[in-house]
Amino acid sequence: AYQEGHWFPVGGMWVEPDLNLPSGESLVRQILYGKRYFLQKFGADIVVGYNPDTFGYCWTLPQIYRKAGFKYFITQKLRWNDTTPWEHDAFWWEAPDGSRLLALIPYGYVHSADPERMAREFKRFQEITGLKDHLVLYGVGNHGGGPTRQNLRRIRYAQDLDVYPVVKHDNLRTVMEAIESDPASKSLPVIRDELYLQYHRGTYTTHAAIKKRNRLSEILLEEAEKLSVLSGIPYPTEELWECWRRVLLNQFHDILPGSAIPAVYVDAHRDYDYVEQTGKAIVEKGLTALAAKVETRGKGTPVLVFNPLSWERTDVVVLDDPELARKGRVVDARGKPVLSQVSGNRLFFLAEDVPALGYKVFWVRSG
């Protein structure tokens, strides 16, 4: 059906995710695994970022999309604003780094295809943008409903009207290419900001535990991957993919923001349990292999501090160990004492200037 042009895959991401809360790495993974799926199953490369129902859009998205081969962006959600009407039907969306996408905001995504309504919207669209082509996303929409017989009858009726604009079925890429080639597209406004949705603000205060576990999972999987590479252990391809698949699934735009039904969150917590268990096992395996290669001979108990970040880091290390807390004194590789403090059975010390994706060894001594 795809090869014959009867239907067209859209999206290019693993799911249609929330686009405010996930990390940049997660958004890259959404595209990496989504594009790979479409290429493997259909031989299709998606170039239209299609996120009609997401609750707002981060400012860095054009940069991530363009670097992944996308050229266009479509949503309708900004028309749901409850206070400030959205003023732009089409525009260039520019990220902080200067990357640009041609963006289109159709009039809804569950359009009835009523000819009178389409004519009014098309007239308004032309007055605002000067463009000759417009997009109507018709169908029932929510809960799995697609086009209805009534939709199709209305479209055929509009096609048969002599005084009506040309109406045809088409795919998103062709529509966006036609808009881009229109000379009027050159004078469309440039938006240099996030695309903020007012209507669903409250979702970002619900299901805080899910939001926290999403972030912890993102951090854990990045650390697991970095350590897998740096330590030289057999790369855990399948385990990491299975973890990422679950994290990406739960970034769906009703799960992560907090607008899904309760049963969904039972499943989500089960997925995060799996990610936590699997990811921590990979980290432990990588750290163990790394530690075996590090010179730790010296006076006292060696402590290997690894920095999984991509920049140099100074931070407090906490050793929850009564024996080390009783010793109480910490020195660096040159034997120089470092700032430390004992509190109960825990020993705190300041690890300064630990290199990016690197480590330092400290020793705990009595004194």
Side-chain angles (χ1 to χ4, degrees):
Y2 164 66
Q3 298 295 343
E4 295 171 357
H6 295 306
W7 57 272
F8 305 96
V10 299
M13 289 183 164
W14 189 248
V15 296
E16 186 186 349
D18 177 80
L19 289 169
N20 286 315
L21 292 171
S23 67
E25 180 67 23
S26 286
L27 298 183
V28 170
R29 299 279 175 158
Q30 289 280 359
I31 295 170
L32 171 66
Y33 298 133
K35 277 208 164 199
R36 186 176 71 180
Y37 177 87
F38 285 120
L39 283 169
Q40 289 175 342
K41 300 297 183 182
F42 308 109
D45 184 26
I46 310 299
V47 299
V48 182
Y50 184 70
N51 302 88
D53 200 28
T54 303
F55 305 166
Y57 307 89
C58 59
W59 192 4
T60 50
L61 194 59
Q63 176 182 353
I64 294 171
Y65 265 149
R66 285 310 300 258
K67 288 181 181 294
F70 288 80
K71 298 176 65 178
Y72 311 110
F73 176 74
I74 293 176
T75 183
Q76 58 82 45
K77 202 68 174 183
L78 298 176
R79 297 201 181 278
W80 293 40
N81 277 1
D82 58 9
T83 304
T84 309
W86 184 254
E87 298 178 350
H88 307 290
D89 285 4
F91 54 93
W92 294 97
W93 188 19
E94 185 175 301
D97 78 325
S99 300
R100 281 190 181 185
L101 288 169
L102 178 59
L104 183 67
I105 314 287
Y107 293 85
Y109 68 151
V110 288
H111 205 289
S112 63
D114 174 61
E116 184 179 343
R117 177 186 167 187
M118 289 194 297
R120 287 197 309 269
E121 292 169 350
F122 187 38
K123 182 173 182 293
R124 181 180 184 275
F125 180 80
Q126 284 195 309
E127 290 173 349
I128 293 173
T129 66
L131 297 168
K132 299 188 294 292
D133 293 280
H134 180 42
L135 179 66
V136 176
L137 302 174
Y138 68 93
V140 175
N142 275 342
H143 314 296
T148 65
R149 289 183 175 86
Q150 183 188 55
N151 294 154
L152 299 176
R153 282 196 299 269
R154 287 173 167 175
I155 291 170
R156 282 194 294 269
Y157 173 75
Q159 289 173 326
D160 292 338
L161 291 174
D162 293 334
V163 296
Y164 204 81
V166 175
V167 178
K168 64 179 181 179
H169 296 283
D170 213 336
N171 69 74
L172 300 182
R173 179 172 187 164
T174 305
V175 172
M176 296 304 292
E177 288 174 345
I179 291 175
E180 185 179 29
S181 64
D182 191 322
S185 70
K186 305 297 185 293
S187 57
L188 291 173
V190 178
I191 304 296
R192 297 181 177 92
D193 202 348
E194 66 172 332
L195 304 184
Y196 178 66
L197 176 70
Q198 298 169 341
Y199 192 57
H200 291 334
R201 291 186 292 264
T203 59
Y204 292 104
T205 64
T206 66
H207 287 284
I210 290 294
K211 293 169 170 58
K212 182 176 182 179
R213 296 197 78 180
N214 169 73
R215 183 68 78 243
L216 291 174
S217 296
E218 291 173 328
I219 294 169
L220 176 61
L221 293 183
E222 282 199 51
E223 289 186 359
E225 181 153 26
K226 290 171 181 176
L227 278 163
S228 297
V229 173
L230 295 172
S231 67
I233 64 173
Y235 189 77
T237 303
E238 294 302 321
E239 293 94 329
L240 284 172
W241 158 234
E242 184 59 31
C243 287
W244 269 114
R245 185 184 70 80
R246 295 174 189 235
V247 172
L248 299 181
L249 172 66
N250 287 301
Q251 289 172 350
F252 180 72
H253 66 271
D254 278 312
I255 300 176
L256 182 56
S259 49
I261 61 174
V264 168
Y265 295 104
V266 175
D267 288 345
H269 280 295
R270 191 180 298 122
D271 284 337
Y272 289 131
D273 288 343
Y274 174 88
V275 172
E276 183 178 356
Q277 179 180 357
T278 306
K280 284 184 175 179
I282 296 172
V283 168
E284 185 68 26
K285 189 174 182 180
L287 283 174
T288 300
L290 188 67
K293 303 173 184 178
V294 175
E295 175 59 74
T296 56
R297 289 176 295 184
K299 182 181 177 183
T301 303
V303 177
L304 172 66
V305 177
F306 178 74
N307 173 21
L309 300 179
S310 300
W311 53 88
E312 189 177 79
R313 181 181 183 183
T314 295
D315 214 333
V316 175
V317 175
V318 184
L319 300 176
D320 196 356
D321 187 308
E323 183 179 345
L324 295 181
R326 280 194 296 272
K327 291 184 177 180
R329 186 165 182 259
V330 184
V331 300
D332 62 17
R334 293 169 298 180
K336 178 184 176 182
V338 301
L339 192 64
S340 61
Q341 177 178 323
V342 176
S343 177
N345 289 325
R346 297 197 295 177
L347 174 61
F348 299 77
F349 71 90
L350 188 65
E352 292 189 282
D353 303 327
V354 182
L357 296 174
Y359 61 86
K360 280 189 173 182
V361 180
F362 298 85
W363 282 265
V364 181
R365 300 175 179 172
S366 297

